[in-house]
Amino acid sequence: MRSEIELLINEASDPELGSAGRSAHAEPEDDVMDAYSRAVIAAAEKVSPSVVYIEVQQPVRSRRVNIPRMPQETRGSGSGFIFTPDGFILTNSHVVHGATKIEVTVSDGHKYRADLIGDDPDTDLAVIRINAPNLVPARLGEAPKIRVGQLVVAIGNPYGFQYSVTAGVVSALGRSLRAQSGRLMDSVIQTDAALNPGNSGGPLVNSRGEVIGVNTAMILPAQGISFATSIDTAKFVASRLIRDGKVSRSYIGLAGQNVPLPRRIVRYYNLTAESGILVVSFEGSSPARKAGAREGDIIIGFDDHPTAGIDDLHKLLSEDRIGHKSSLVVIRGTEKLSLEVIPEESQSRTSK
C-alpha cells in the first residue's frame, strides 16, 4: 500500500511519470476546451468589425433643469452593429431615444456623426446611420434555428470598455420582457452571457458569427440572466424604421387594468378566460369612446380573440387593424355586449 501511495505522489509531482496513463483522459478534455475557445474566437473575430461604440448627448429630463449651473444635457453610451454596407446600424431605442447628438466609433477607431433613422420603444430597437467607407456588415441569422443550450457570444462596450467579448449559452427561448413604454416584448432570448451597462444594442451571435439577437437588458441583482431581442423581431422593426421612420400600431384610446371576472359571469357566458380589462378612462374622443364603451366596462374580447389582460389587447392592436372595423366585446354589469370599434394609428407610446 505504501509503495502505491508513493507512486501516485511521484506521478503528481513529475509530469514524466504516469503520463501514458493520464494522456488518454486529458486529451479529450483538452480538445473540448480548444474547440470551445476556437468557436468563441472565430465568432468574435467575424463580427467584431461590425460592432460600433455609440456616444450620445440627451437633454436632462428633470423638473429642475432651470436651476443655474445644472447641465442641460447628459452624456450616455451604448453599442450597436452595422447590418448593411451603406451604414445602417441597429441598436437599442433607450440608447439613442431623444438624443440631440449621436457619434459612432467604428472598429478602426474612426468616429462619425450619425443620424437617427427611427426608434421603436415598444421593442427597444432603433436604427441610426453613418456615412463612412469600407463598412463591414454583420451577417444576420434566423430565429427558428436557435436552440436552448447553444453557444452564444455577446460583443459590446460595457462602461465604455470598447469591444468586450463575453460568452455563454442560450438559457431559454420565448421569454417576455416589459419595454420601457409599457408594452410586452415577446420572443425574447434569455442567455447567461454577461452583460453590463453599455452592452445595450450590441449583437448576440452564434458560433458561426451570425447575429441572432440584439442585447437589450440584464437583471442587475442577478447573475447570469440577460436578455436579447430576437433577430426576426429586429429584422421586421428595422425594415419598418428604414421605410417609415417608425413602427405603426393601432390603438383604441383607453386606459384599463386587469381584473378577475366573477365566476358566475364566466360560467354563464362559457368564457375561456377568467379575467378581463376594466375600462378606467378614455383619451378624449377616442375610438373606444366613439364605439360606445363606458368606464366600468370589462373588455373580454377583441375581434373574436379573448383578452384576459392588457398584454393580450396590445398584441391584437397591430398595424393591419388601423381603419378597419373590429368587434370589442365587453361585460357591462351582467350583460355581454359587442361594440363596433375602428382603431386608429397610435400617436402615443403608452396608449392601448
Side-chain angles (χ1 to χ4, degrees):
M1 178 66 68
R2 179 181 177 83
S3 60
E4 291 179 3
I5 294 175
E6 290 176 346
L7 179 60
L8 290 174
I9 293 173
N10 290 335
E11 287 180 356
S13 60
D14 190 344
E16 297 298 326
L17 295 176
S19 59
R22 293 195 311 272
S23 60
H25 300 286
E27 189 173 347
E29 183 179 349
D30 291 343
D31 286 345
V32 170
M33 292 298 293
D34 288 344
Y36 178 85
S37 299
R38 286 196 297 268
V40 173
I41 292 169
E45 288 180 345
K46 192 169 186 178
V47 78
S48 286
S50 307
V51 179
V52 300
Y53 176 49
I54 301 172
E55 297 173 281
V56 301
Q57 290 183 9
Q58 295 168 314
V60 175
R61 294 180 177 87
S62 173
R63 296 179 182 177
R64 298 182 293 177
V65 293
N66 294 325
I67 295 177
R69 298 183 181 179
M70 184 172 183
Q72 300 301 300
E73 289 189 321
T74 182
R75 289 183 174 272
S77 64
S79 306
F81 60 94
I82 302 162
F83 67 99
T84 68
D86 51 348
F88 285 104
I89 296 169
L90 257 171
T91 185
N92 283 155
S93 171
H94 75 261
V95 172
V96 297
H97 182 69
T100 56
K101 182 180 180 182
I102 306 173
E103 290 185 324
V104 169
T105 303
V106 296
S107 60
D108 63 6
H110 286 88
K111 184 178 289 188
Y112 301 92
R113 185 75 176 261
D115 297 315
L116 177 63
I117 302 301
D119 74 303
D120 181 41
D122 292 339
T123 55
D124 197 22
L125 292 170
V127 173
I128 61 176
R129 191 180 189 182
I130 59 173
N131 184 13
N134 305 318
L135 297 177
V136 180
R139 182 177 177 182
L140 305 184
E142 300 176 19
K145 294 182 178 179
I146 305 172
R147 295 292 181 267
V148 172
Q150 79 175 71
L151 169 69
V152 286
V153 178
I155 304 178
N157 308 283
Y159 295 106
F161 292 102
Q162 297 184 28
Y163 306 106
S164 297
V165 177
T166 58
V169 298
V170 173
S171 304
L173 297 171
R175 295 295 197 209
S176 295
L177 190 66
R178 188 76 58 187
Q180 291 184 355
S181 68
R183 281 184 180 255
L184 202 64
M185 298 187 293
D186 294 317
S187 302
V188 174
I189 304 167
Q190 179 186 333
T191 82
D192 67 352
L195 298 182
N196 288 286
N199 273 113
S200 296
L204 183 74
V205 304
N206 59 21
S207 58
R208 295 185 296 276
E210 299 168 338
V211 180
I212 60 171
V214 182
N215 296 319
T216 187
M218 73 293 297
I219 298 180
L220 292 178
Q223 294 184 5
I225 302 180
S226 305
F227 299 98
T229 305
S230 167
I231 191 60
D232 283 5
T233 300
K235 289 176 183 177
F236 170 79
V237 171
S239 66
R240 290 295 190 273
L241 293 178
I242 292 172
R243 188 187 71 182
D244 303 323
K246 62 180 180 179
V247 178
S248 297
R249 295 181 178 87
S250 58
Y251 94 121
I252 57 176
L254 59 85
Q257 64 185 53
N258 299 342
V259 294
L261 292 169
R263 292 192 62 81
R264 66 181 186 279
I265 296 292
V266 175
R267 290 198 210 98
Y268 184 80
Y269 290 110
N270 194 26
L271 302 179
T272 58
E274 297 185 356
S275 61
I277 307 165
L278 175 65
V279 178
V280 176
S281 63
F282 297 94
E283 289 186 12
S285 183
S286 67
R289 187 186 288 275
K290 291 176 184 176
R294 301 177 186 174
E295 294 178 6
D297 287 350
I298 300 178
I299 300 171
I300 60 169
F302 182 81
D303 250 7
D304 300 323
H305 295 278
T307 54
I310 293 172
D311 293 330
D312 291 339
L313 185 56
H314 271 155
K315 293 175 185 177
L316 296 170
L317 289 171
S318 54
E319 180 180 9
D320 57 3
R321 308 279 183 177
I322 300 173
H324 294 281
K325 292 180 181 179
S326 304
S327 61
L328 186 69
V329 183
V330 303
I331 298 293
R332 182 175 296 166
T334 58
E335 188 178 4
K336 180 181 176 183
L337 302 174
S338 181
L339 309 175
E340 189 177 88
V341 63
I342 302 176
E344 299 175 1
E345 183 175 354
S346 175
Q347 301 299 320
S348 170
R349 302 191 187 280
T350 57
S351 295
K352 318 279 192 298

